[in-house]
Amino acid sequence: MPSPDLHRPDLFAQLLQGNRRALARTITLLESRKPEHQEQARALLQQLLPYTGKALRIGISGTPGAGKSTFIEAFGLHLIQQNLKVAVLTIDPSSGVSGGSILADKTRMEKLSSRPEAFIRPSPSAGVLGGVALHTREVMLACEAAGFEVILIETVGVGQSETLVSSLTDVFLMLTLPNAGDDLQAVKRGILELVDLVLINKTDLLPEKANLTQVQLESAFRLQKTAAKVLQISALQGKGIAQVWEHLKLWREKHAADLLHKRQDQQAAWFEEHLKQLVWLHFQAQVNPQKREALRQQARTGTMDPLNAAHLLLEDTHGEKHFPEDH
Ligand code: GDP
């Protein structure tokens, strides 16, 4: 990997001016696994902090084929027409597992990606889901500091990634199809609890089914006592796109106070998440691998209960008992 040219003192200034190369370099730094880069990345994040937070952060999910990239292209171009700068980030839980991103294996959002007002960041090609999302949050902050006013974070419809995206965003959209059999199952799995707005896409194909799906979804929301809204669109024909933005603008005005709290809660939750990861990494660095393996074998073969084996290893590593009695 080429050096991200991190030592240039003007990186920060250029980033604040919205320089795309500076943004790309910053992202390389944020995603770097080298310890010295990570330290610089943390310093930069702290420096960026006062310049972040002004964007509307929108999560978008939907099963493959629901029309996410078609929608994002149409929606992004509409935002640019409104003089807004838009960044598109992707969390793809299939990348790394399958060896390739299902989202990246086709040319996506061609028109949008050629616009200077847009910044599209494909999913990193490897990494655990949590790790990818961790960087996505940092990348989002860098985009905000670079002046992007709307951040779209996209994911495919897999439960865990949706929870992650909603922990990063202000408002959560789900794209579904007029004959939403599968997606309605999501209602039962509780995914709709995260959703603020459902877009029934491809209504040009099956308008009657779209109406039926809308009624079904609205009654599901009533049952859940959530205020989520359902809109019909055709991403391909550009129908309903302007209404989506109008709705989101109103939503932002109406929820301004809640949004502040939501972001504060998200930040507190990320603190806990980072803490968990750091404590785990710290433990991994401290633990004696032979003892760990010996205790793992004892748990495995049943000579010691797994709970006792885990306790013993922790005690051994830290040299004393200083963890909850009730575990
Ligand atoms: P993604 O996998 O969710 O990103 O879905 P894509 O945006 O790639 O769309 C999948 C297919 O559906 C493509 O062939 C699109 O052209 C098509 N498509 C997307 N939106 C619409 C729509 O509103 N109407 C119709 N008829 N086709 C659409």
Side-chain angles (χ1 to χ4, degrees):
M1 187 170 66
S3 160
D5 198 8
L6 307 167
H7 299 291
R8 290 181 54 164
D10 50 354
L11 178 65
F12 181 59
Q14 287 179 344
L15 178 70
L16 292 188
Q17 283 162 10
N19 180 307
R20 300 171 70 88
R21 290 186 62 190
L23 178 58
R25 255 188 261 137
T26 301
I27 292 173
T28 307
L29 175 62
L30 293 171
E31 291 180 343
S32 172
R33 292 184 185 184
K34 290 193 182 150
E36 69 269 24
H37 286 176
Q38 290 177 358
E39 209 167 299
Q40 288 180 46
R42 289 201 304 277
L44 186 66
L45 263 179
Q46 193 58 33
Q47 231 181 335
L48 290 181
L49 210 55
Y51 304 92
T52 64
K54 292 194 196 82
L56 181 65
R57 303 164 177 174
I58 305 173
I60 298 178
S61 95
T63 46
K68 291 180 296 301
S69 48
T70 312
F71 169 74
I72 291 171
E73 169 131 303
F75 187 62
L77 291 170
H78 178 75
L79 294 174
I80 290 173
Q81 272 178 9
Q82 315 296 306
N83 283 324
L84 293 165
K85 288 174 72 186
V86 55
V88 182
L89 314 176
T90 305
I91 292 177
D92 179 1
S94 68
S95 69
V97 179
S98 62
S101 165
I102 52 166
L103 295 170
D105 61 8
K106 54 188 169 169
T107 313
R108 308 177 87 234
M109 307 171 223
E110 259 177 274
K111 286 192 203 123
L112 188 62
S113 55
S114 69
R115 298 293 300 251
E117 305 92 335
F119 181 81
I120 300 182
R121 179 77 184 170
S123 190
S125 60
V128 284
L129 186 53
V132 171
L134 210 116
H135 289 309
T136 304
R137 188 181 153 277
E138 294 156 11
V139 171
M140 172 177 83
L141 296 178
C143 289
E144 289 184 349
F148 289 90
E149 296 149 303
V150 180
I151 313 282
L152 303 174
I153 303 186
E154 175 198 13
T155 188
V156 289
V158 182
Q160 200 192 352
S161 65
E162 274 155 334
T163 311
L164 273 162
V165 171
S166 75
S167 78
L168 295 168
T169 52
D170 301 323
V171 61
F172 197 86
L173 317 190
M174 188 177 101
L175 254 74
T176 189
L177 295 173
N179 50 346
D182 283 352
D183 288 331
L184 280 172
Q185 292 302 313
V187 182
K188 290 170 195 127
R189 291 202 308 266
I191 286 170
L192 281 199
E193 280 168 29
L194 304 172
V195 171
D196 300 291
L197 176 62
V198 177
L199 304 178
I200 304 175
N201 188 31
K202 307 198 191 182
T203 51
D204 55 295
L205 295 179
L206 297 162
E208 279 159 28
K209 286 223 161 133
N211 288 335
L212 182 66
T213 299
Q214 175 154 11
V215 170
Q216 286 175 326
L217 284 166
E218 283 172 345
S219 77
F221 284 134
R222 265 196 303 279
L223 275 176
Q224 285 187 350
K225 296 192 172 55
T226 47
K229 172 114 176 151
V230 185
L231 293 176
Q232 295 194 23
I233 64 166
S234 168
L236 197 62
Q237 298 183 342
K239 284 195 185 140
I241 301 299
Q243 285 83 341
V244 173
W245 180 234
E246 287 309 309
H247 175 77
L248 289 174
K249 277 197 297 187
L250 285 175
W251 187 94
R252 172 153 68 171
E253 275 173 38
K254 200 174 148 200
H255 292 88
D258 304 341
L259 217 52
L260 191 74
H261 286 122
K262 185 173 181 173
R263 285 189 178 181
Q264 288 178 342
D265 290 347
Q266 287 174 339
Q267 281 153 207
W270 277 99
F271 166 76
E272 295 291 338
E273 193 55 42
H274 283 295
L275 194 59
K276 250 192 267 175
Q277 294 215 5
L278 288 176
V279 169
W280 178 239
L281 288 174
H282 176 74
F283 174 75
Q284 305 248 61
Q286 303 272 310
V287 73
N288 177 326
Q290 284 86 27
K291 282 198 177 137
R292 182 182 185 164
E293 183 52 26
L295 283 163
R296 197 176 77 91
Q297 282 306 331
Q298 290 194 45
R300 191 171 184 274
T301 53
T303 42
M304 193 183 298
D305 182 80
L307 177 64
N308 279 312
H311 264 258
L312 208 61
L313 187 63
L314 194 58
E315 273 171 47
D316 181 78
T317 308
H318 288 294
E320 53 180 308
K321 278 191 190 181
H322 51 71
F323 40 86
E325 291 293 329
D326 64 349
H327 185 77

